[in-house]
Amino acid sequence: MPMCGYGVILNRTRLRALGKASCSYSMESSGETIIHEGKASVIFPSANQVFYNPVQEFNRDLTCAVITEFARLHLQQKGINIVVPGEREEQKLVVNLSETGEDKMNSSPENNFIPTTAGVGLPCPEGLRVLEGLAASGLRSIRFAREVPGLHSVVANDFSASAVELIKRNIEHNDVGNLVTASYSDARMVMYNRTGARDRFDVIDLDPYGSPSMFLDAAVQSVSEGGLLCITCTDMAVLAGNSGETCYSKYGAMSIKSKYCHEMALRILLHSLDLRANCYQRYIVPLLCVSVDFYIRVFVRVFTGQAKVKMCASKQALVYNCVGCGTYHLQRMGKATSHGNNMKYSPATGPPVTSNCEFCHQRHQLGGPIWAESLHDKDFVKCILSALELNPKRFNTSERIQGVLSMATEELSDVPLYYTLDNLSSIIRCNTPSLLQFRSALLHAGHRVSLSHACKNALKTDAPPSVIWDIMRCWEKQNPIKRERLSETCPAFHILSKEPSIEANFDIREDANPKSRKQGLKRFQENPEANWGPKARAKAGGGISTALSDKRKQHQNKRKNISSADESHLKSFPCKKFKEGSCELGDNCRYSHNPPDETQEESLTTKDGAPS
């Protein structure tokens, strides 16, 4: 089966709609379509068969921004400065790329010699070796070549012959043959063949349709020391709790339905990456992890070190989630204790909860393991934001990148998961306090609080659940509900039956409103167009499946509108209710009321004589 990217039917009507978006298109006299995005333009043979999703432009822009900063930091250590077109000249802060994986901010080193420079579109001998494992049309690889400086080479791979031919055409069309090479192979084999220390890729980008789980083992082995993995998951139904057993089979963790499911999806993917890296004495350091639109995207570095790998068990945690009130507790998988210069590793103790929730007396679900450490390297994210300020018109989605990354820098890095304000109010069946009121109450109580980029009304806080419910009890006292209507089994009855142990203060504090919210940054974008989510899967032969919107129309009410002609074949089956003497439809019954003959009787029994 071809392991290409998003196979999408993009008809002429939708192409015209792209004129309203940031990308553009043109129609050639030959009937071919050319999509323009960033500095690249890609050719498609037909307007009705285009491997392109305009909503993913944010994903590609963000990836170019991240790899650009990674190239800057990577080459700075070798005395090479990168040149980004349109970027104002200012002294930059760089991250120390030490093998310990601990990124620290340092000023650009001043040397007695004039450092060499690396620009866009020219191979750099000391530059990054990039692999796009599932390239489809090759748009992403071509954008790397035309927009990211400091590259040594880019391999655009796909396991579809038609896709590879399209990649070759687009490489020639964009005149990037000096940097980009097309490859026809299974992405896993490309990576497994480059696991030697000198052959590894510095950057590996995987953006498959659905789950990347089958590629993760090869990816963690074939990325260089301190190299960058850029991975997308679109199987959010699995990661968000609709199919926990499938999530376990793919990622080694149970997902659960919860209000924090989108952040938990990120942490499940990071757990899976770290677990697979640990098999080879390697470990991950997340740089940036985001949940946007219909997918999650993680950027992590991979290092080698036996001592650091021993710490990984203490970075994972199980999640106890109450099915009644949504209260959650984390249980670390391991414990690392410092004894001078030595570390002692032991199993964690627990569990942190009793069999029933202490607040609503209902049972717990067990999810995970998940990554329980920070999702972002805030110093690295600030480098990206700094570069955007120097070159604000570099990307069409710069405003959204700035909004999402600004929220990432504001998040509490040591607080996994979050509560949602509307769900807390729904549990005790009262009206919802404003975001600033609830944040102020937590701050007045002496706790930290932040928003989350993964959910618009999320609250990340280090306050224990008892404090959160005490604040909600105080809010209910100011905005009383009719308690006599509460059932004795509902969570609200048990939560409100206890008096609050603190007196919440809902007076608005100045620091309750985060900076990104004050500035009105574009943090959460509206739906860009109809049917804008993940598109139909590419066919095995390299073609494109029917659009999801057309498939929905085809199957609409297929079980309700059954014609009489479709029911004629049912007369060959005996009516079970007639045999029992309980069918009241008579001749109007769609099944047969005639007694079966001997042949039919034999066909309705199994070999041992039992009814089939």
Side-chain angles (χ1 to χ4, degrees), residues 262-508:
H262 289 95
E263 182 177 324
M264 186 170 181
L266 283 170
R267 295 182 178 278
I268 286 175
L269 176 57
L270 291 176
H271 160 75
S272 184
L273 274 170
D274 195 50
L275 186 63
R276 294 168 199 245
N278 292 165
C279 298
Y280 309 101
Q281 297 300 307
R282 312 194 85 185
Y283 61 96
I284 66 167
V285 177
L287 294 183
L288 175 65
C289 305
V290 293
S291 171
V292 291
D293 297 332
F294 54 84
Y295 59 90
I296 58 175
R297 179 77 162 164
V298 300
F299 301 90
V300 303
R301 295 177 65 195
V302 180
F303 294 90
T304 305
Q306 186 177 14
K308 290 283 187 178
V309 169
K310 293 180 179 180
M311 293 284 294
C312 290
S314 60
K315 297 178 182 179
Q316 321 298 324
L318 296 171
V319 181
Y320 289 85
N321 181 73
C322 174
V323 299
C325 62
T327 302
Y328 64 87
H329 296 81
L330 267 64
Q331 169 67 66
R332 296 276 179 160
M333 299 289 290
K335 183 169 63 174
T337 309
S338 175
H339 291 277
N341 295 328
N342 300 321
M343 295 293 296
K344 179 181 179 181
Y345 305 99
S346 59
T349 56
V353 296
T354 57
S355 57
N356 292 324
C357 175
E358 62 176 302
F359 304 105
C360 69
H361 300 175
Q362 297 203 25
R363 70 185 188 280
H364 290 97
Q365 286 180 322
L366 184 62
I370 64 171
W371 176 264
E373 297 296 305
S374 176
L375 294 178
H376 321 290
D377 183 327
K378 292 186 179 181
D379 292 335
F380 181 82
V381 176
K382 288 176 181 176
C383 286
I384 302 175
L385 288 172
S386 175
L388 281 177
E389 291 176 1
L390 299 178
N391 195 359
K393 296 183 179 180
R394 183 184 179 192
F395 303 113
N396 290 323
T397 61
S398 289
E399 290 185 2
R400 191 181 179 202
I401 293 176
Q402 183 184 10
V404 172
L405 298 193
S406 295
M407 289 199 71
T409 60
E410 294 171 350
E411 289 181 6
L412 296 177
S413 57
D414 57 343
V415 178
L417 310 180
Y418 53 79
Y419 293 94
T420 59
L421 195 53
D422 57 338
N423 185 60
L424 293 174
S425 302
S426 175
I427 293 298
I428 63 172
R429 305 186 184 184
C430 71
N431 60 357
T432 305
S434 72
L435 183 66
L436 295 185
Q437 284 178 314
F438 199 87
R439 284 172 57 92
S440 297
L442 286 167
L443 292 171
H444 281 302
H447 299 283
R448 295 177 298 146
V449 61
S450 75
L451 301 179
S452 171
H453 78 278
C455 181
K456 191 172 185 178
N457 54 353
L459 289 166
K460 295 175 75 72
T461 178
D462 59 356
S466 58
V467 172
I468 293 174
W469 289 120
D470 275 346
I471 293 175
M472 291 306 299
R473 292 184 186 108
C474 293
W475 177 256
E476 190 275 335
K477 285 182 178 295
Q478 297 182 18
N479 303 268
I481 65 171
K482 296 181 179 179
R483 298 196 183 189
E484 63 274 10
R485 294 187 177 182
L486 297 179
S487 168
E488 293 185 1
T489 59
C490 75
F493 177 85
H494 294 288
I495 293 173
L496 296 177
S497 62
K498 183 179 179 181
E499 288 296 316
S501 58
I502 64 172
E503 188 64 34
N505 184 356
F506 294 98
D507 294 339
I508 305 298

Side-chain angles (χ1 to χ4, degrees), residues 208 210-217 233 235 249-251 269 272 276:
S211 173
S213 58
M214 66 182 72
F215 306 107
L216 300 185
D217 182 76
C233 293
D235 56 335
S249 67
K250 292 182 176 181
Y251 301 99
L269 176 57
S272 184
R276 294 168 199 245

Side-chain angles (χ1 to χ4, degrees), residues 3 120 125 394:
M3 297 174 185
V120 173
R394 183 184 179 192

Side-chain angles (χ1 to χ4, degrees), residues 14 22 68 98 108 128 132 178 187 197 205 227 279 317 323 355 369 421 441 501 508 525 532-533 544 549 598:
R14 191 174 178 207
S22 52
T68 298
S98 61
S108 300
L128 302 177
E132 185 187 4
N178 60 332
D205 189 300
C279 298
V323 299
S355 57
L421 195 53
S501 58
I508 305 298
Q525 85 165 10
W532 61 277
I544 303 176
S549 57
E598 293 182 358

